[in-house]
Amino acid sequence: MNLNNPQQLAVKAAETNLLVIAGAGSGKTRVLVERMAFLMREQGLSPHALMAVTFTNKAAREMRERLEETLGRSLYTMWVGTFHGLAHRFLRAHWRDAGLIEQFLILDSDDQHRMIKRIVADLQLDDAKFKPRAIAGFINGCKDEGQRPQHLQTGRDYYNDTLIGLYAEYDARCKTQNLVDFGELLLRTFETFRDKSELLQHYQNRFKHLLIDEFQDTNTIQYAWIRLLAGADTHVMAVGDDDQSIYAWRGARIENIHRYESDFAPVTTIRLEQNYRSTDVILKAANAVISNNTGRLGKELWTDQGAGSPIQLYAAFNEQDEARFVANRISEHVEQGGLNGELAILYRSNAQSRVLEDALLRAGIPYRIYGGQRFYERLEIKNALMYLRLIQNRFDDTAFERVINVPPRGIGERTVEQIRETARDEGRGLWDSALQLSRSNGLSGRAKSAVTGFIDLINDLDNKAVDLDLSDLARDVIDATGLLAYHGSEKGERGQARVDNLNELVSACRAFEPEDQESSILLQFLSQASLDAGETQADPDADAVQLMTLHSAKGLEFPCVFLVGAEEELFPHVMSLDSAGGLEEERRLAYVGITRAMQHLVVTYAESRRLNGRDHFGLLSRFIREIPQECIEEVRLESQVRRPFNSSSFGARPVDRPHRHPRFQEFDDAFGEDTGLGIGSRVDHGLFGEGTVLAFEGSGPQMKVQVRFDDESKKWLVLQYAKLVPLG
């Protein structure tokens, strides 16, 4: 197997509960695969006795494929998947025990927002105060904590009580329409395990080993799910890294991995500290940063791959200068024979991407925003899927509302609202209400004809579906509904792209392999599409630079990483500074960002940056100041470097800096050396008072300097006339 000693210990451990603290790049996926292979090959365990849990469908597929390759046989029926995917599989098998209808469908995030928007409108609430996204966050958060509406305390205030009422109404409508959202998959599975003791015992007896990847990212309901499923004779292998716990904002509980040793005692703890990804310099930097956090389980990453080059640090004048520097470096990399796809730009906030994108566009550098719209989230695909959903389930109000007039068929908002009112007044679904109105005199002649035509279209497609396979049905839906012509009519490449996507949907249907031969293949396909739409992985594409948030970067690696915007209040984010927990999570985010780099890491910060409409002055992030000085060298735009640097130049806004961009050299010579001023310097003006230098431009007699004065006014002043007096 060619494993190192700690890896071998994890793979061949006796039947016990295991906590594997796996550092970044330490080969944890390989350890998981080899552990499962060992249990089946050496211990004679059946694949049916194992359950492996991952956090993405991609990771699950990779794990299954690697395991099949290792063992040389198919493991198609083995329970390997995400928490949501495995919960869905359980509920499909035990829908009756779970209190569901066999033909239930999954409600994805977009459809959830649509339903909530409709509920807010039906209850005549102020949609400016009760926003669908916020309500969805409240509902999903409650489900992640295992809470139903009846578990929540009312009487606190009007807003909270209304949210609880909306949650209750949302649950009721989901039940009526046979819909299950992502949070419901886990909560309903947990409740079924809890309430059906015989069913729980069956699975406890079946699964002798539970293997959970990314354990530090589990939330409350997932942790409770595992604890409940782990029987007296079940062995749990938790693999994770508390130093990479960065998803508290979406419900992850770092305390889950911290309490594992006590809740699952006795536990054997193994640390994977040898890194196979990064250079020694990068690992020293990462170790130094994360060591400032408290309450860690503890580990020290190391490598035998050599020291590598120093981390480069560039102090930009502003965000435009920062973006130009990054673009120039990328161009140099490609000119020297490198690939764009070897490079990633990481930032703390999505808002930072705009300036970077502008610079990359001007430089002609292809790029991709990682985590952009996935295939099943694209407009044309969603429309086609909604038709398929409505064919499968006429009670799906969300699907009905989306496609009743897409493509336009003369059914206006007034007609749709009339259908809604009928549904509200008579307690019906939208389909039944439309059917009733089409058979009565409740609609005008034109509206009646259009609604009747839509109903007939869906019924005809449903009738044809009996004799068609899935791909032919998808083709029939796309053609008969007019979606292909509708989306293809868009001008330029976008229209062609939408047509290509619709054709690809047909191909996806053709390639789809159902897991359950007894269940409807259309139902299975729709469920899988909803699960895939919930993930945020980038599409494979042409050679391009990857732009992404630090949160999106987890689990990825690149030969060269640009970590931009390394400034206090941006990274760490200003919202994190009020609590120790928030600051420590930000530091873990820095640790994740640093360890994405394999060979080269470039860090940039701006002395002045425009954020939220205001200018902010850059103080180098404390996380970068925590890196040992011998690991870093400061750089010029033209790639010249100098080192070492003293601690004062490695702190706040440097005043006396020899590494100015060449176009400012004259300013440095004539202005900086004579007066000691630079970006961030404090000055006094005879008329305007005291202020701070923001920027400068031009040269010679026309050189100008921008100053923000203490009264918040900003002025461009001709240097030779300004008579600025340096302060301090």
Side-chain angles (χ1 to χ4, degrees):
M1 289 186 294
N2 198 26
L3 302 171
N4 63 41
N5 288 335
Q7 289 175 331
Q8 290 190 45
L9 288 174
V11 168
K12 298 181 178 181
E15 293 199 340
T16 181
N17 290 332
L18 284 172
L19 174 60
V20 180
I21 303 172
S26 62
K28 67 178 178 65
T29 302
R30 186 181 181 193
V31 167
L32 278 165
V33 170
E34 293 290 352
R35 173 67 171 171
M36 288 188 283
F38 173 81
L39 291 171
M40 286 185 277
R41 188 171 49 207
E42 306 296 331
Q43 302 294 319
L45 209 67
S46 166
H48 296 282
L50 296 174
M51 176 188 287
V53 188
T54 66
F55 269 77
T56 67
N57 289 324
K58 179 182 177 183
R61 287 191 292 269
E62 180 184 348
M63 185 178 292
R64 188 192 299 274
E65 289 168 0
R66 289 172 66 170
L67 188 57
E68 289 178 339
E69 184 179 348
T70 300
L71 295 174
R73 59 187 172 115
S74 175
L75 299 169
Y76 188 70
T77 60
M78 185 177 172
W79 282 51
V80 179
T82 65
F83 276 103
H84 293 100
L86 295 174
H88 173 250
R89 182 170 182 172
F90 171 81
L91 293 176
R92 284 289 173 211
H94 304 284
W95 55 270
R96 190 176 284 103
D97 290 306
L100 296 169
I101 295 174
E102 185 176 8
Q103 301 297 310
F104 73 86
L105 288 170
I106 297 175
L107 192 71
D108 68 19
S109 300
D110 184 50
D111 299 329
Q112 183 186 45
H113 292 163
R114 288 175 179 271
M115 177 183 284
I116 292 171
K117 186 177 181 179
R118 184 179 171 218
I119 292 173
V120 170
D122 289 347
L123 298 179
Q124 298 182 334
L125 296 172
D126 183 357
D127 58 5
K129 187 173 184 179
F130 296 97
K131 298 180 179 179
R133 189 171 296 278
I135 299 167
F138 172 79
I139 293 171
N140 296 336
C142 290
K143 290 188 176 185
D144 286 346
E145 293 297 315
Q147 297 174 316
R148 295 289 185 187
Q150 61 268 27
H151 300 144
L152 301 174
Q153 183 180 354
T154 59
R156 289 169 47 191
D157 55 64
Y158 167 76
Y159 184 77
N160 182 72
D161 288 356
T162 305
L163 285 179
I164 296 171
L166 286 166
Y167 182 10
E169 178 63 20
Y170 170 81
D171 259 8
R173 296 198 186 192
C174 283
K175 184 177 181 180
T176 301
Q177 298 175 37
N178 307 324
L179 299 173
V180 174
D181 62 31
F182 290 128
E184 187 70 20
L185 289 171
L186 296 179
L187 180 55
R188 187 67 65 101
T189 298
F190 171 79
E191 291 173 339
T192 306
F193 279 146
R194 181 196 63 194
D195 299 337
K196 304 291 181 179
S197 57
E198 291 185 2
L199 194 60
L200 174 62
Q201 188 175 9
H202 166 76
Y203 281 99
Q204 287 178 335
N205 292 336
R206 171 179 173 173
F207 294 121
K208 300 302 182 184
H209 286 264
L210 304 179
L211 303 96
I212 300 94
D213 194 12
E214 305 288 1
F215 198 83
Q216 78 282 346
D217 293 333
T218 54
N219 61 27
T220 299
I221 194 67
Q222 289 165 346
Y223 189 76
W225 200 82
I226 291 297
R227 289 200 69 186
L228 197 59
L229 190 56
D233 298 322
T234 304
H235 303 291
V236 179
M237 180 180 185
V239 181
D241 183 3
D242 58 326
D243 291 335
Q244 296 189 71
S245 180
I246 59 173
Y247 297 125
W249 53 276
R250 70 183 191 193
R253 303 290 186 189
I254 191 174
E255 54 265 31
N256 289 349
I257 195 170
H258 287 163
R259 62 192 279 199
Y260 175 84
E261 289 181 294
S262 59
D263 286 351
F264 288 84
V267 172
T268 299
T269 300
I270 298 170
R271 288 170 170 79
L272 305 183
E273 297 174 297
Q274 184 174 358
N275 177 283
Y276 295 93
R277 173 189 299 159
S278 305
T279 64
D280 186 58
V281 165
I282 291 170
L283 297 182
K284 282 183 178 178
N287 288 331
V289 172
I290 202 62
S291 67
N292 291 278
N293 273 3
T294 61
R296 299 170 58 228
L297 294 173
K299 66 178 185 308
E300 190 84 3
L301 294 180
W302 63 275
T303 185
D304 59 6
Q305 299 189 79
S309 58
I311 297 168
Q312 297 185 331
L313 176 68
Y314 180 71
F317 304 112
N318 51 35
E319 66 267 34
Q320 285 83 17
D321 184 33
E322 178 183 59
R324 284 193 296 269
F325 169 79
V326 173
N328 284 348
R329 279 302 180 88
I330 294 171
S331 296
E332 290 173 5
H333 174 80
V334 175
E335 288 169 3
Q336 294 168 8
L339 299 174
N340 287 307
E342 297 171 332
L343 309 173
I345 305 173
L346 312 184
Y347 38 80
R348 177 62 179 85
S349 170
N350 269 312
Q352 293 171 253
S353 77
R354 182 187 64 80
V355 177
L356 292 162
E357 289 184 67
D358 286 346
L360 295 176
L361 284 169
R362 287 196 299 271
I365 298 170
Y367 71 90
R368 183 187 320 112
I369 303 291
Y370 184 88
Q373 275 196 321
R374 296 286 298 150
F375 180 78
Y376 291 110
E377 297 173 331
R378 295 169 187 168
L379 174 68
E380 60 279 13
I381 301 302
K382 288 284 290 184
N383 288 338
L385 290 177
M386 289 299 164
Y387 274 107
L388 291 170
R389 282 176 50 163
L390 199 56
I391 292 169
Q392 177 66 43
N393 176 16
R394 302 294 201 281
F395 296 104
D396 191 340
D397 285 356
T398 301
F400 181 95
E401 279 198 291
R402 182 173 183 120
V403 300
I404 187 173
N405 201 43
V406 177
R409 51 175 58 90
I411 302 175
E413 182 58 30
R414 182 177 296 178
T415 301
V416 175
E417 183 56 37
Q418 195 172 348
I419 295 171
R420 292 193 192 107
E421 290 177 358
T422 302
R424 239 180 355 253
D425 294 341
E426 300 184 15
R428 299 170 175 260
L430 295 180
W431 175 269
D432 284 346
S433 298
L435 190 62
Q436 176 188 328
L437 289 170
S438 71
R439 293 172 176 174
S440 66
N441 296 320
L443 296 173
S444 67
R446 187 175 177 180
K448 182 178 180 179
S449 176
V451 171
T452 300
F454 174 70
I455 291 171
D456 290 341
L457 172 65
I458 300 300
N459 286 334
D460 288 342
L461 289 169
D462 191 13
N463 291 333
K464 291 179 182 178
V466 177
D467 301 316
L468 297 174
D469 63 27
L470 184 60
S471 61
D472 289 337
L473 174 62
R475 171 58 65 194
D476 199 25
V477 165
I478 291 168
D479 291 337
T481 60
L483 284 177
L484 193 69
Y486 173 63
H487 289 298
S489 65
E490 284 192 49
K491 295 181 180 180
E493 295 181 0
R494 177 173 292 187
Q496 185 57 52
R498 295 197 188 282
V499 169
D500 291 344
N501 286 335
L502 288 169
N503 290 330
E504 184 59 28
L505 177 63
V506 178
S507 299
C509 290
R510 187 177 294 115
F512 180 71
E513 296 181 2
E515 291 187 357
D516 184 1
Q517 299 304 318
E518 296 181 4
S519 181
S520 162
I521 186 172
L522 174 58
L523 180 63
Q524 292 183 68
F525 177 78
L526 291 171
S527 298
Q528 188 59 52
S530 295
L531 291 169
D532 286 345
E535 296 198 4
T536 55
Q537 299 297 318
D539 290 321
D541 206 349
D543 182 39
V545 177
Q546 303 275 345
L547 277 70
M548 68 192 72
T549 65
L550 283 155
H551 285 98
S552 299
K554 188 170 176 292
L556 304 177
E557 60 183 34
F558 303 91
C560 179
V561 167
F562 294 88
L563 178 54
V564 302
E567 303 141 34
E568 290 289 306
E569 299 191 1
L570 182 58
F571 187 45
H573 196 277
V574 65
M575 300 296 291
S576 72
L577 301 178
D578 294 333
S579 69
L583 184 59
E584 292 208 344
E585 175 143 331
E586 288 287 291
R587 185 174 281 108
R588 292 193 292 271
L589 193 58
Y591 176 84
V592 167
I594 293 169
T595 54
R596 297 313 93 192
M598 300 167 70
Q599 292 145 16
H600 304 285
L601 176 62
V602 182
V603 179
T604 66
Y605 73 106
E607 295 181 341
S608 174
R609 185 183 300 274
R610 192 142 183 100
L611 293 171
N612 302 319
R614 300 184 66 181
D615 289 317
H616 293 255
F617 297 98
L619 176 67
L620 181 63
S621 169
R622 70 191 68 192
F623 303 146
I624 309 306
R625 286 181 274 138
E626 289 167 355
I627 297 174
Q629 293 184 19
E630 64 269 18
C631 294
I632 296 194
E633 62 184 10
E634 292 186 278
V635 302
R636 288 181 172 182
L637 187 59
E638 70 273 27
S639 300
Q640 296 177 357
V641 305
R642 75 172 183 91
R643 71 174 190 163
F645 50 85
N646 59 44
S647 57
S648 63
S649 71
F650 195 41
R653 299 183 300 274
V655 173
D656 183 16
R657 297 167 51 226
H659 61 286
R660 292 295 190 201
H661 190 284
R663 65 190 172 91
F664 298 124
Q665 193 61 52
E666 185 176 351
F667 179 90
D668 283 338
D669 293 341
F671 182 59
E673 291 184 5
D674 292 344
T675 67
L677 297 179
I679 301 293
S681 295
R682 294 286 293 170
V683 296
D684 183 59
H685 187 274
L687 179 61
F688 304 120
E690 296 182 4
T692 304
V693 176
L694 298 182
F696 46 86
E697 65 179 27
S699 61
Q702 302 304 314
M703 184 178 293
K704 296 180 181 178
V705 61
Q706 187 186 39
V707 181
R708 184 180 70 176
F709 293 98
D710 292 349
D711 63 359
E712 296 298 320
S713 66
K714 286 188 294 186
K715 300 185 184 296
W716 281 99
L717 306 171
V718 179
L719 186 58
Q720 65 175 331
Y721 302 123
K723 300 184 184 312
L724 297 173
V725 179
L727 299 175

